[in-house]
Amino acid sequence: MSEFDLAKTSPNGIYMDYCQKDQLAFQRAPSGKAVFYPRIVEPKTGEELRWELSQGLGTVYSTTVIYLRDEKPYNVALIDIDEGYRMMSRVEGIDPEHVRIGMRVQVQMATFDDGKKYPIFFPVNEVV
Amino acid sequence: MTNSLRRGSVAIVGAAESELGLCALGTTPYDLMAQATYRALADCGLHLKDIDGVFTATSQARFSSLGLCEYLGLKPYYQDNTLMGGASFMSHVAHAMAAINNGLCDVALIAYGSTQKSVSRAAASPREFNAYETPYKPFLPTSAYAMVAARHMYQYGTTREQLAEVAVAARQWALMNPVAWEKKPLTIDEVINSRMVSSPLTIRDCCLVTDGGGAIILTSAARAKDLKKKPAYVLGVGEDLSHIGISGMPELTVSGAAVSGPKAYAMAGITAKEVDLAMLYDAFTINTILFLEDLGFCPKGEGGNFVANGGVAPGGHLPVNTNGGGLSYCHPGMYGLFLLIESVRQLRGECGERQVPNCELALAHGNGGVLSSQATVILGSQGD
């Protein structure tokens, strides 16, 4: 197997490059198992991983609304992506308190304060 | 594999807290560790020169065994800085037992100190950057436990009131503990209607932020018999590491306690039914419910019903967190050692008004990170 060349690129670097191109990427093991977050080898087996693009559809696995002083309440959620992995993100486009476990959501890249694009999710029927 | 540790071969012989609550400006974690160490030594009648094994952890120092050894002038034969959050101290018990069993040390000190109330929680335990979580600004650790609670409610119908029952029960126990931080009664309505932090958890579902330290002294069962107080024998230990970020937790409603608990029970040769006292790391109200299930005190999904109607309050089905817990007694950042201290005191019969009658088997369960590390210690008043 070819070793991941960390002198040239990193798992997070590749992932973020995809995000900047409005693509949600993850890794797939030879067994077909989806792996997230991106790594240099598959956990448990050490097998080589290849990149794939997700369709960006998923289901809310759990959700919370965060109430900080001097900040509007906002959502943080764990999303089970249809390709078979889970990630943390936010569900936007609706009142954060209306986000429900089991809700179908679709990805959209959003530019964060650091100027980079990150994946966030919207309820399936409300993608803008 | 099973471990080769010898059940009952080691005992906790000394246990003490330092000053708790809010310490004077300039107090350091080492001041608190040192104070607790002196008190724990006085508790068992041993002296500083007897300590030849040192086990420490604190979020405020990377090299805490070095720091404490310098402070106390110790030159241990064996030392260990294992840091896996609030469960570290249960892990230290297992490691100290291994060291004593193998002749690497004879008298082991496990010490902790934190000034997180004085210096602020953000300063005492800065969060590490996680490229796949930090950008979304989860309010950690609370938001992680909040999502666990939300999922538990969704899957098992656990209610907001049941979560509040845990905080109310802890408060009732705390009112019988003279050194507990909280001094006033608490109601279910007050828990539910207090400030929301990360839904469904309000500020009263969250542990306290206090200063505090603790220390315990362990030695062989043979040596323990000649010391001042009744030994608390180490009967079983078990650990499990499952993830570091909450997005890596395999299933939010099943913690690693479902692995660490059975390991500890198997070593001790007991079941949950025989446990007289359960000290469960209650960083948040959902923890107690989850650990009651995962440690076999009730079936999965039944934790909410178990705590309902004062189930874990004084006079309930099972004495749980009799010191008042992290929710109402003290919670200086990493709380695990305090669970062991209360267990020792209950086994000795030193707990006054809150004493559990005929307490012979105590389970102390530690939790670290965002349900990331789990470690269970079973202590008994009889070693054989």
Side-chain angles (χ1 to χ4, degrees), chain B residues 226-261:
Chain B
D226 301 328
L227 296 172
K228 252 164 89 175
K229 301 258 181 89
K230 207 165 101 178
Y233 295 94
V234 181
L235 304 183
V237 292
E239 297 179 34
D240 186 64
L241 308 180
S242 54
H243 57 278
I244 182 148
I246 195 63
S247 45
M249 184 168 180
E251 211 181 321
L252 291 196
T253 53
V254 183
S255 77
V259 177
S260 70

mmCIF file of all heavy atoms in Angstrom, chain B residues 226-261:
data_model
loop_
_atom_site.group_PDB
_atom_site.id
_atom_site.type_symbol
_atom_site.label_atom_id
_atom_site.label_comp_id
_atom_site.label_asym_id
_atom_site.label_seq_id
_atom_site.Cartn_x
_atom_site.Cartn_y
_atom_site.Cartn_z
ATOM 1 N N ASP B 226 -2.747 -3.097 60.166
ATOM 2 C CA ASP B 226 -2.128 -2.512 61.351
ATOM 3 C C ASP B 226 -2.319 -0.997 61.441
ATOM 4 O O ASP B 226 -1.785 -0.356 62.339
ATOM 5 C CB ASP B 226 -0.618 -2.812 61.348
ATOM 6 C CG ASP B 226 -0.365 -4.309 61.323
ATOM 7 O OD1 ASP B 226 -1.195 -5.038 61.894
ATOM 8 O OD2 ASP B 226 0.631 -4.732 60.696
ATOM 9 N N LEU B 227 -3.030 -0.413 60.480
ATOM 10 C CA LEU B 227 -3.148 1.053 60.477
ATOM 11 C C LEU B 227 -4.389 1.498 61.257
ATOM 12 O O LEU B 227 -5.160 0.687 61.744
ATOM 13 C CB LEU B 227 -3.133 1.561 59.036
ATOM 14 C CG LEU B 227 -1.786 1.273 58.339
ATOM 15 C CD1 LEU B 227 -1.854 1.597 56.865
ATOM 16 C CD2 LEU B 227 -0.638 2.036 59.009
ATOM 17 N N LYS B 228 -4.535 2.832 61.339
ATOM 18 C CA LYS B 228 -5.516 3.427 62.254
ATOM 19 C C LYS B 228 -6.971 3.059 61.982
ATOM 20 O O LYS B 228 -7.734 2.796 62.897
ATOM 21 C CB LYS B 228 -5.391 4.958 62.171
ATOM 22 C CG LYS B 228 -4.773 5.588 63.400
ATOM 23 C CD LYS B 228 -4.320 7.001 63.116
ATOM 24 C CE LYS B 228 -5.384 8.058 63.358
ATOM 25 N NZ LYS B 228 -4.829 9.413 63.169
ATOM 26 N N LYS B 229 -7.361 3.099 60.718
ATOM 27 C CA LYS B 229 -8.775 2.953 60.380
ATOM 28 C C LYS B 229 -9.036 1.641 59.658
ATOM 29 O O LYS B 229 -8.123 0.989 59.171
ATOM 30 C CB LYS B 229 -9.190 4.128 59.462
ATOM 31 C CG LYS B 229 -8.994 5.508 60.095
ATOM 32 C CD LYS B 229 -10.293 6.067 60.596
ATOM 33 C CE LYS B 229 -10.155 7.452 61.211
ATOM 34 N NZ LYS B 229 -10.301 8.523 60.225
ATOM 35 N N LYS B 230 -10.326 1.326 59.557
ATOM 36 C CA LYS B 230 -10.752 0.111 58.858
ATOM 37 C C LYS B 230 -10.377 0.228 57.368
ATOM 38 O O LYS B 230 -10.758 1.203 56.722
ATOM 39 C CB LYS B 230 -12.284 0.021 59.000
ATOM 40 C CG LYS B 230 -12.848 -1.359 58.943
ATOM 41 C CD LYS B 230 -14.295 -1.352 59.451
ATOM 42 C CE LYS B 230 -15.266 -1.378 58.294
ATOM 43 N NZ LYS B 230 -16.673 -1.422 58.710
ATOM 44 N N PRO B 231 -9.655 -0.750 56.808
ATOM 45 C CA PRO B 231 -9.271 -0.642 55.395
ATOM 46 C C PRO B 231 -10.480 -0.773 54.461
ATOM 47 O O PRO B 231 -11.436 -1.471 54.779
ATOM 48 C CB PRO B 231 -8.332 -1.840 55.177
ATOM 49 C CG PRO B 231 -7.993 -2.368 56.532
ATOM 50 C CD PRO B 231 -9.124 -1.985 57.435
ATOM 51 N N ALA B 232 -10.391 -0.095 53.322
ATOM 52 C CA ALA B 232 -11.378 -0.284 52.238
ATOM 53 C C ALA B 232 -10.643 -1.074 51.158
ATOM 54 O O ALA B 232 -9.788 -0.523 50.448
ATOM 55 C CB ALA B 232 -11.862 1.061 51.725
ATOM 56 N N TYR B 233 -10.940 -2.358 51.068
ATOM 57 C CA TYR B 233 -10.202 -3.239 50.162
ATOM 58 C C TYR B 233 -10.621 -3.013 48.712
ATOM 59 O O TYR B 233 -11.814 -2.847 48.418
ATOM 60 C CB TYR B 233 -10.432 -4.700 50.547
ATOM 61 C CG TYR B 233 -9.870 -5.023 51.914
ATOM 62 C CD1 TYR B 233 -10.680 -4.950 53.046
ATOM 63 C CD2 TYR B 233 -8.527 -5.362 52.068
ATOM 64 C CE1 TYR B 233 -10.165 -5.216 54.306
ATOM 65 C CE2 TYR B 233 -8.002 -5.623 53.330
ATOM 66 C CZ TYR B 233 -8.822 -5.550 54.446
ATOM 67 O OH TYR B 233 -8.307 -5.798 55.685
ATOM 68 N N VAL B 234 -9.644 -3.039 47.814
ATOM 69 C CA VAL B 234 -9.927 -2.913 46.388
ATOM 70 C C VAL B 234 -10.277 -4.307 45.874
ATOM 71 O O VAL B 234 -9.425 -5.194 45.818
ATOM 72 C CB VAL B 234 -8.720 -2.333 45.616
ATOM 73 C CG1 VAL B 234 -9.073 -2.186 44.134
ATOM 74 C CG2 VAL B 234 -8.292 -0.990 46.208
ATOM 75 N N LEU B 235 -11.544 -4.492 45.518
ATOM 76 C CA LEU B 235 -12.011 -5.816 45.090
ATOM 77 C C LEU B 235 -12.059 -5.963 43.578
ATOM 78 O O LEU B 235 -11.908 -7.064 43.050
ATOM 79 C CB LEU B 235 -13.411 -6.079 45.666
ATOM 80 C CG LEU B 235 -13.560 -5.969 47.188
ATOM 81 C CD1 LEU B 235 -14.981 -6.328 47.601
ATOM 82 C CD2 LEU B 235 -12.548 -6.860 47.900
ATOM 83 N N GLY B 236 -12.314 -4.851 42.898
ATOM 84 C CA GLY B 236 -12.416 -4.938 41.442
ATOM 85 C C GLY B 236 -12.121 -3.610 40.782
ATOM 86 O O GLY B 236 -12.408 -2.552 41.360
ATOM 87 N N VAL B 237 -11.515 -3.681 39.594
ATOM 88 C CA VAL B 237 -11.257 -2.475 38.800
ATOM 89 C C VAL B 237 -11.553 -2.791 37.339
ATOM 90 O O VAL B 237 -11.395 -3.936 36.906
ATOM 91 C CB VAL B 237 -9.790 -1.986 38.923
ATOM 92 C CG1 VAL B 237 -9.499 -1.483 40.324
ATOM 93 C CG2 VAL B 237 -8.796 -3.083 38.555
ATOM 94 N N GLY B 238 -11.992 -1.781 36.596
ATOM 95 C CA GLY B 238 -12.226 -1.958 35.157
ATOM 96 C C GLY B 238 -12.211 -0.609 34.475
ATOM 97 O O GLY B 238 -12.629 0.389 35.065
ATOM 98 N N GLU B 239 -11.687 -0.579 33.243
ATOM 99 C CA GLU B 239 -11.600 0.686 32.501
ATOM 100 C C GLU B 239 -12.103 0.491 31.089
ATOM 101 O O GLU B 239 -12.055 -0.611 30.552
ATOM 102 C CB GLU B 239 -10.134 1.137 32.374
ATOM 103 C CG GLU B 239 -9.448 1.448 33.668
ATOM 104 C CD GLU B 239 -7.996 1.869 33.442
ATOM 105 O OE1 GLU B 239 -7.711 2.517 32.419
ATOM 106 O OE2 GLU B 239 -7.161 1.534 34.286
ATOM 107 N N ASP B 240 -12.539 1.594 30.477
ATOM 108 C CA ASP B 240 -12.856 1.564 29.048
ATOM 109 C C ASP B 240 -12.644 2.948 28.452
ATOM 110 O O ASP B 240 -13.059 3.940 29.035
ATOM 111 C CB ASP B 240 -14.302 1.127 28.810
ATOM 112 C CG ASP B 240 -14.596 0.960 27.329
ATOM 113 O OD1 ASP B 240 -13.976 0.081 26.707
ATOM 114 O OD2 ASP B 240 -15.408 1.727 26.772
ATOM 115 N N LEU B 241 -12.001 2.989 27.290
ATOM 116 C CA LEU B 241 -11.844 4.240 26.548
ATOM 117 C C LEU B 241 -12.634 4.090 25.261
ATOM 118 O O LEU B 241 -12.438 3.121 24.530
ATOM 119 C CB LEU B 241 -10.370 4.488 26.197
ATOM 120 C CG LEU B 241 -9.347 4.427 27.341
ATOM 121 C CD1 LEU B 241 -7.943 4.710 26.802
ATOM 122 C CD2 LEU B 241 -9.688 5.429 28.432
ATOM 123 N N SER B 242 -13.554 5.010 24.970
ATOM 124 C CA SER B 242 -14.371 4.781 23.774
ATOM 125 C C SER B 242 -14.228 5.847 22.689
ATOM 126 O O SER B 242 -14.517 5.578 21.530
ATOM 127 C CB SER B 242 -15.837 4.592 24.148
ATOM 128 O OG SER B 242 -16.308 5.663 24.914
ATOM 129 N N HIS B 243 -13.827 7.053 23.023
ATOM 130 C CA HIS B 243 -13.735 8.123 22.018
ATOM 131 C C HIS B 243 -13.098 9.323 22.702
ATOM 132 O O HIS B 243 -12.904 9.295 23.914
ATOM 133 C CB HIS B 243 -15.123 8.503 21.499
ATOM 134 C CG HIS B 243 -16.064 8.931 22.590
ATOM 135 N ND1 HIS B 243 -16.759 8.027 23.365
ATOM 136 C CD2 HIS B 243 -16.393 10.152 23.087
ATOM 137 C CE1 HIS B 243 -17.478 8.679 24.269
ATOM 138 N NE2 HIS B 243 -17.270 9.965 24.131
ATOM 139 N N ILE B 244 -12.832 10.389 21.945
ATOM 140 C CA ILE B 244 -12.450 11.636 22.620
ATOM 141 C C ILE B 244 -13.469 12.727 22.331
ATOM 142 O O ILE B 244 -13.937 13.387 23.260
ATOM 143 C CB ILE B 244 -10.981 12.036 22.348
ATOM 144 C CG1 ILE B 244 -10.653 13.319 23.123
ATOM 145 C CG2 ILE B 244 -10.665 12.196 20.883
ATOM 146 C CD1 ILE B 244 -9.242 13.433 23.578
ATOM 147 N N GLY B 245 -13.870 12.907 21.080
ATOM 148 C CA GLY B 245 -14.911 13.897 20.766
ATOM 149 C C GLY B 245 -16.266 13.212 20.775
ATOM 150 O O GLY B 245 -16.361 12.024 20.467
ATOM 151 N N ILE B 246 -17.306 13.965 21.087
ATOM 152 C CA ILE B 246 -18.644 13.359 21.187
ATOM 153 C C ILE B 246 -19.099 12.829 19.822
ATOM 154 O O ILE B 246 -19.864 11.859 19.753
ATOM 155 C CB ILE B 246 -19.677 14.354 21.785
ATOM 156 C CG1 ILE B 246 -20.948 13.625 22.230
ATOM 157 C CG2 ILE B 246 -20.027 15.493 20.820
ATOM 158 C CD1 ILE B 246 -20.764 12.617 23.337
ATOM 159 N N SER B 247 -18.611 13.405 18.725
ATOM 160 C CA SER B 247 -19.014 12.894 17.406
ATOM 161 C C SER B 247 -18.399 11.516 17.141
ATOM 162 O O SER B 247 -18.821 10.825 16.228
ATOM 163 C CB SER B 247 -18.672 13.887 16.289
ATOM 164 O OG SER B 247 -17.380 14.387 16.441
ATOM 165 N N GLY B 248 -17.422 11.112 17.963
ATOM 166 C CA GLY B 248 -16.817 9.784 17.815
ATOM 167 C C GLY B 248 -17.410 8.747 18.752
ATOM 168 O O GLY B 248 -16.984 7.582 18.744
ATOM 169 N N MET B 249 -18.394 9.136 19.582
ATOM 170 C CA MET B 249 -18.985 8.164 20.514
ATOM 171 C C MET B 249 -19.889 7.213 19.726
ATOM 172 O O MET B 249 -20.795 7.665 19.029
ATOM 173 C CB MET B 249 -19.793 8.884 21.592
ATOM 174 C CG MET B 249 -20.343 7.931 22.651
ATOM 175 S SD MET B 249 -21.000 8.840 24.078
ATOM 176 C CE MET B 249 -21.536 7.472 25.109
ATOM 177 N N PRO B 250 -19.630 5.895 19.833
ATOM 178 C CA PRO B 250 -20.359 4.957 18.973
ATOM 179 C C PRO B 250 -21.885 5.084 19.097
ATOM 180 O O PRO B 250 -22.584 5.148 18.102
ATOM 181 C CB PRO B 250 -19.871 3.585 19.447
ATOM 182 C CG PRO B 250 -18.528 3.852 20.053
ATOM 183 C CD PRO B 250 -18.620 5.217 20.659
ATOM 184 N N GLU B 251 -22.397 5.098 20.316
ATOM 185 C CA GLU B 251 -23.840 5.215 20.512
ATOM 186 C C GLU B 251 -24.042 6.108 21.728
ATOM 187 O O GLU B 251 -23.548 5.782 22.813
ATOM 188 C CB GLU B 251 -24.421 3.826 20.785
ATOM 189 C CG GLU B 251 -25.821 3.664 20.294
ATOM 190 C CD GLU B 251 -26.381 2.273 20.603
ATOM 191 O OE1 GLU B 251 -25.631 1.279 20.484
ATOM 192 O OE2 GLU B 251 -27.551 2.203 20.984
ATOM 193 N N LEU B 252 -24.742 7.209 21.590
ATOM 194 C CA LEU B 252 -24.794 8.195 22.681
ATOM 195 C C LEU B 252 -25.470 7.665 23.939
ATOM 196 O O LEU B 252 -25.242 8.184 25.024
ATOM 197 C CB LEU B 252 -25.537 9.464 22.237
ATOM 198 C CG LEU B 252 -24.867 10.367 21.196
ATOM 199 C CD1 LEU B 252 -25.535 11.731 21.179
ATOM 200 C CD2 LEU B 252 -23.387 10.529 21.418
ATOM 201 N N THR B 253 -26.302 6.655 23.820
ATOM 202 C CA THR B 253 -27.049 6.186 24.993
ATOM 203 C C THR B 253 -26.397 4.984 25.686
ATOM 204 O O THR B 253 -26.975 4.439 26.628
ATOM 205 C CB THR B 253 -28.495 5.821 24.600
ATOM 206 O OG1 THR B 253 -28.436 4.912 23.501
ATOM 207 C CG2 THR B 253 -29.278 7.056 24.208
ATOM 208 N N VAL B 254 -25.221 4.579 25.209
ATOM 209 C CA VAL B 254 -24.494 3.490 25.891
ATOM 210 C C VAL B 254 -23.065 3.954 26.149
ATOM 211 O O VAL B 254 -22.321 4.209 25.212
ATOM 212 C CB VAL B 254 -24.461 2.199 25.032
ATOM 213 C CG1 VAL B 254 -23.755 1.085 25.808
ATOM 214 C CG2 VAL B 254 -25.854 1.777 24.628
ATOM 215 N N SER B 255 -22.703 4.086 27.413
ATOM 216 C CA SER B 255 -21.354 4.563 27.737
ATOM 217 C C SER B 255 -20.407 3.383 27.947
ATOM 218 O O SER B 255 -20.839 2.232 28.078
ATOM 219 C CB SER B 255 -21.393 5.413 29.004
ATOM 220 O OG SER B 255 -21.508 4.562 30.138
ATOM 221 N N GLY B 256 -19.130 3.702 28.036
ATOM 222 C CA GLY B 256 -18.113 2.692 28.312
ATOM 223 C C GLY B 256 -18.251 2.066 29.694
ATOM 224 O O GLY B 256 -17.566 1.086 30.001
ATOM 225 N N ALA B 257 -19.157 2.593 30.528
ATOM 226 C CA ALA B 257 -19.418 1.961 31.823
ATOM 227 C C ALA B 257 -19.981 0.558 31.632
ATOM 228 O O ALA B 257 -19.824 -0.300 32.506
ATOM 229 C CB ALA B 257 -20.400 2.807 32.635
ATOM 230 N N ALA B 258 -20.608 0.338 30.460
ATOM 231 C CA ALA B 258 -21.138 -0.994 30.154
ATOM 232 C C ALA B 258 -20.007 -1.999 29.920
ATOM 233 O O ALA B 258 -20.235 -3.205 29.875
ATOM 234 C CB ALA B 258 -22.057 -0.924 28.933
ATOM 235 N N VAL B 259 -18.775 -1.486 29.759
ATOM 236 C CA VAL B 259 -17.595 -2.343 29.619
ATOM 237 C C VAL B 259 -16.779 -2.353 30.919
ATOM 238 O O VAL B 259 -16.413 -3.411 31.433
ATOM 239 C CB VAL B 259 -16.704 -1.868 28.438
ATOM 240 C CG1 VAL B 259 -15.446 -2.708 28.339
ATOM 241 C CG2 VAL B 259 -17.496 -1.899 27.133
ATOM 242 N N SER B 260 -16.542 -1.152 31.467
ATOM 243 C CA SER B 260 -15.713 -1.071 32.687
ATOM 244 C C SER B 260 -16.404 -1.738 33.873
ATOM 245 O O SER B 260 -15.744 -2.381 34.702
ATOM 246 C CB SER B 260 -15.382 0.385 33.018
ATOM 247 O OG SER B 260 -16.529 1.093 33.463
ATOM 248 N N GLY B 261 -17.727 -1.586 33.954
ATOM 249 C CA GLY B 261 -18.484 -2.162 35.073
ATOM 250 C C GLY B 261 -18.357 -3.679 35.125
ATOM 251 O O GLY B 261 -17.904 -4.236 36.138
#
